[in-house]
Amino acid sequence: MSAATVSDGRRPRRARPGALLRTAPAALFGLAALAGPLLAAEPVDKPVTAPYGEAGADALLGGDQLGRDVLSRLLHGGGALIAGALTVAAVVTLLATLLGCFAAVSPRTGRLVERAADTAILLPPVLGIMLLALAWPGGGRLAITVAAIVLGTPYAVRIVAGAAAPLAATGFVEAAVASGERVGHLALREILPNLRATVLALFGLRFVDAVYVISMAGFLQLGPQPPEADWALMIRENAPGILLNPWAVVAPALAI
């Protein structure tokens, strides 16, 4: 049986138009965040109002703690976050997919991956991010991205391995084993094509998780540093003046 055919003999269903419509708002918002610097009316470091100035014609969302345009900083602050989350999601999904498929068809590899994943999952995410970010020379966004990949991969591997295990016991895989196919062929040509839905769902979940992880690190000032425009930093910096200009905190919080 072809590797593109699932175990019950049916081919994977094509994406429905409804699924595209459901993902369109998120895709448009992501594109707007990436293109934000081109839409900003003011530089991110130029004061245009009084500190915590109210929303008005000169600043649609008012000013922050230094009088900088909140809207312009909001438009500048999402690109790096979205790009970092996409990088984390892509790398974690790729590593988890490869390791999970090999773990399903190779008992020795499966036991090793399972033990390593179980050990890594025991480490609290916040503590792990702090340790890796503080130990990384210079810290910054790269340290947070690497930490999110290292801490997110073990859990994702368990998901893929669990979804791949039933496929490893199906007839077309057993036929491939009987014909003498190697482990690499079994994992990449027989198992992987039948995990499309699992891999896509995992990518979406890892992206959402990466947004929160990177934002949390930014709020703790483990990644981007002031005066850089960053949504999480905007929340932290403007929290003391939330009663004077709520938009300085509410807008980046809603964006995240």
Side-chain angles (χ1 to χ4, degrees), residues 45-82:
D45 56 351
K46 177 184 177 181
V48 295
T49 69
Y52 298 117
E54 296 181 355
D58 295 333
L60 294 180
L61 297 181
D64 65 359
Q65 83 278 18
L66 298 179
R68 298 168 297 189
D69 183 22
V70 170
L71 179 58
S72 295
R73 290 182 64 80
L74 185 73
L75 292 172
H76 277 86
L81 174 62
I82 298 298

Coordinates of all heavy atoms in Angstrom, one line a residue, residues 45-82:
D45 N 11.1 55.8 19.3 CA 11.8 56.5 20.4 C 11.5 58.0 20.5 O 12.2 58.7 21.2 CB 13.3 56.2 20.3 CG 13.9 56.7 19.0 OD1 13.1 57.1 18.1 OD2 15.1 56.7 18.8
K46 N 10.5 58.5 19.7 CA 10.3 59.9 19.7 C 9.1 60.3 20.6 O 7.9 59.8 20.3 CB 10.0 60.4 18.2 CG 9.6 61.8 18.1 CD 9.3 62.2 16.7 CE 8.8 63.7 16.5 NZ 8.5 64.0 15.1
P47 N 9.2 61.1 21.6 CA 8.1 61.5 22.4 C 7.2 62.5 21.6 O 7.6 63.4 20.9 CB 8.7 62.3 23.6 CG 10.2 61.8 23.6 CD 10.5 61.5 22.2
V48 N 5.9 62.2 21.6 CA 4.9 63.0 20.9 C 3.8 63.5 21.8 O 3.1 64.4 21.4 CB 4.3 62.2 19.8 CG1 5.3 61.8 18.7 CG2 3.6 60.9 20.3
T49 N 3.8 63.1 23.1 CA 2.8 63.5 24.0 C 3.4 63.7 25.4 O 4.6 63.4 25.5 CB 1.6 62.6 24.1 OG1 2.0 61.3 24.8 CG2 1.0 62.2 22.8
A50 N 2.7 64.1 26.4 CA 3.2 64.0 27.7 C 3.2 62.6 28.2 O 2.5 61.7 27.6 CB 2.2 64.9 28.6
P51 N 3.9 62.3 29.2 CA 3.9 60.9 29.7 C 2.5 60.4 30.0 O 1.7 61.1 30.7 CB 4.8 61.0 31.0 CG 5.7 62.1 30.7 CD 4.9 63.1 29.9
Y52 N 2.2 59.2 29.5 CA 0.9 58.7 29.7 C -0.2 59.6 29.1 O -1.3 59.7 29.7 CB 0.6 58.3 31.1 CG 1.5 57.3 31.7 CD1 2.3 57.5 32.8 CD2 1.6 56.0 31.1 CE1 3.2 56.6 33.3 CE2 2.4 55.0 31.6 CZ 3.2 55.3 32.7 OH 4.1 54.4 33.2
G53 N 0.1 60.3 28.0 CA -0.9 61.2 27.4 C -2.1 60.4 26.9 O -2.0 59.3 26.5
E54 N -3.2 61.1 27.0 CA -4.5 60.5 26.6 C -4.5 60.3 25.0 O -3.8 61.0 24.3 CB -5.7 61.3 27.0 CG -5.8 61.4 28.6 CD -7.0 62.2 29.0 OE1 -7.7 62.7 28.1 OE2 -7.3 62.2 30.2
A55 N -5.4 59.4 24.6 CA -5.5 59.2 23.2 C -6.1 60.4 22.5 O -7.0 61.1 23.1 CB -6.4 58.0 22.9
G56 N -5.6 60.8 21.3 CA -6.1 61.9 20.6 C -5.7 61.9 19.2 O -5.3 60.9 18.7
A57 N -5.8 63.0 18.5 CA -5.5 63.1 17.1 C -4.0 62.8 16.8 O -3.7 62.2 15.8 CB -6.0 64.4 16.5
D58 N -3.2 63.4 17.7 CA -1.7 63.2 17.5 C -1.3 61.8 17.8 O -0.3 61.3 17.3 CB -1.0 64.2 18.3 CG -1.2 65.6 17.9 OD1 -1.6 65.8 16.7 OD2 -1.1 66.5 18.8
A59 N -1.9 61.1 18.7 CA -1.6 59.7 19.1 C -2.9 59.0 19.3 O -3.5 59.2 20.4 CB -0.7 59.7 20.3
L60 N -3.3 58.1 18.4 CA -4.6 57.5 18.5 C -4.8 56.6 19.7 O -5.9 56.5 20.3 CB -4.8 56.6 17.3 CG -4.9 57.4 15.9 CD1 -5.1 56.4 14.8 CD2 -6.1 58.4 16.0
L61 N -3.6 56.0 20.3 CA -3.7 55.3 21.5 C -3.0 55.9 22.6 O -2.7 55.3 23.7 CB -3.1 53.9 21.2 CG -3.8 53.0 20.2 CD1 -3.1 51.6 20.1 CD2 -5.3 52.8 20.6
G62 N -2.7 57.2 22.5 CA -2.0 58.0 23.5 C -0.5 57.7 23.6 O 0.1 57.2 22.7
G63 N 0.1 58.2 24.7 CA 1.5 58.0 24.9 C 1.8 57.1 26.0 O 1.0 56.7 26.9
D64 N 3.1 56.6 26.0 CA 3.5 55.7 27.1 C 4.2 56.4 28.2 O 4.0 57.6 28.3 CB 4.5 54.6 26.5 CG 5.8 55.2 26.0 OD1 5.9 56.5 26.0 OD2 6.6 54.4 25.5
Q65 N 5.0 55.8 29.0 CA 5.6 56.4 30.2 C 6.6 57.5 29.8 O 6.8 58.4 30.7 CB 6.3 55.4 31.1 CG 7.7 55.0 30.7 CD 7.8 54.0 29.6 OE1 6.8 53.7 28.9 NE2 8.9 53.3 29.4
L66 N 7.1 57.5 28.6 CA 8.0 58.6 28.1 C 7.3 59.5 27.1 O 8.0 60.3 26.5 CB 9.2 58.0 27.6 CG 10.1 57.2 28.5 CD1 11.3 56.6 27.8 CD2 10.5 58.0 29.7
G67 N 6.0 59.3 26.9 CA 5.3 60.1 25.9 C 5.5 59.7 24.5 O 5.1 60.4 23.5
R68 N 6.0 58.5 24.3 CA 6.1 57.9 22.9 C 4.8 57.4 22.4 O 4.0 56.9 23.2 CB 7.2 56.8 22.9 CG 8.6 57.3 23.3 CD 9.5 56.2 23.5 NE 9.1 55.4 24.7 CZ 9.9 54.4 25.2 NH1 11.1 54.2 24.7 NH2 9.4 53.7 26.2
D69 N 4.6 57.4 21.1 CA 3.3 57.0 20.5 C 3.1 55.5 20.7 O 3.9 54.7 20.2 CB 3.4 57.3 19.0 CG 2.0 57.0 18.3 OD1 1.0 56.9 19.0 OD2 2.0 56.8 17.1
V70 N 2.1 55.2 21.4 CA 1.8 53.8 21.8 C 1.5 53.0 20.5 O 1.9 51.8 20.3 CB 0.6 53.7 22.8 CG1 0.1 52.2 22.9 CG2 1.0 54.2 24.1
L71 N 0.7 53.6 19.6 CA 0.3 52.8 18.3 C 1.6 52.5 17.5 O 1.7 51.4 17.0 CB -0.7 53.7 17.5 CG -1.1 53.1 16.2 CD1 -1.8 51.7 16.4 CD2 -2.1 54.0 15.5
S72 N 2.5 53.5 17.4 CA 3.7 53.2 16.6 C 4.5 52.1 17.2 O 5.1 51.3 16.5 CB 4.5 54.5 16.4 OG 3.8 55.5 15.7
R73 N 4.7 52.2 18.6 CA 5.4 51.1 19.2 C 4.7 49.8 19.1 O 5.4 48.7 19.1 CB 5.7 51.5 20.7 CG 6.6 52.7 20.9 CD 6.9 53.1 22.3 NE 7.5 52.0 23.0 CZ 8.8 51.8 23.0 NH1 9.6 52.5 22.2 NH2 9.4 50.8 23.7
L74 N 3.4 49.8 19.1 CA 2.7 48.6 19.0 C 2.9 48.0 17.6 O 3.1 46.7 17.5 CB 1.2 48.9 19.2 CG 0.2 47.6 19.2 CD1 0.4 46.9 20.5 CD2 -1.2 48.1 19.0
L75 N 2.9 48.8 16.6 CA 3.2 48.3 15.2 C 4.6 47.8 15.1 O 4.8 46.9 14.3 CB 2.9 49.4 14.2 CG 1.4 49.8 14.1 CD1 1.3 51.1 13.2 CD2 0.6 48.7 13.5
H76 N 5.6 48.4 15.8 CA 6.9 47.9 15.7 C 7.2 46.7 16.5 O 8.2 46.0 16.3 CB 7.9 49.0 16.1 CG 8.2 50.0 15.1 ND1 7.4 51.1 14.8 CD2 9.2 50.1 14.2 CE1 8.0 51.8 13.8 NE2 9.1 51.2 13.4
G77 N 6.4 46.5 17.6 CA 6.7 45.4 18.6 C 6.3 44.0 18.3 O 6.7 43.1 19.0
G78 N 5.6 43.8 17.2 CA 5.1 42.4 16.9 C 5.9 41.6 16.0 O 5.8 40.4 16.0
G79 N 6.7 42.3 15.1 CA 7.4 41.5 14.1 C 8.4 40.5 14.7 O 8.4 39.3 14.2
A80 N 9.2 41.0 15.6 CA 10.2 40.1 16.2 C 9.5 38.9 17.0 O 10.0 37.8 16.9 CB 11.1 40.8 17.1
L81 N 8.4 39.2 17.6 CA 7.7 38.2 18.4 C 7.1 37.1 17.4 O 7.3 35.9 17.7 CB 6.6 38.8 19.2 CG 5.6 37.9 19.9 CD1 6.4 37.0 20.9 CD2 4.5 38.7 20.6
I82 N 6.5 37.6 16.4 CA 5.9 36.6 15.4 C 7.0 35.8 14.7 O 6.8 34.6 14.6 CB 5.0 37.4 14.4 CG1 3.9 38.1 15.0 CG2 4.5 36.4 13.3 CD1 2.9 37.2 15.7

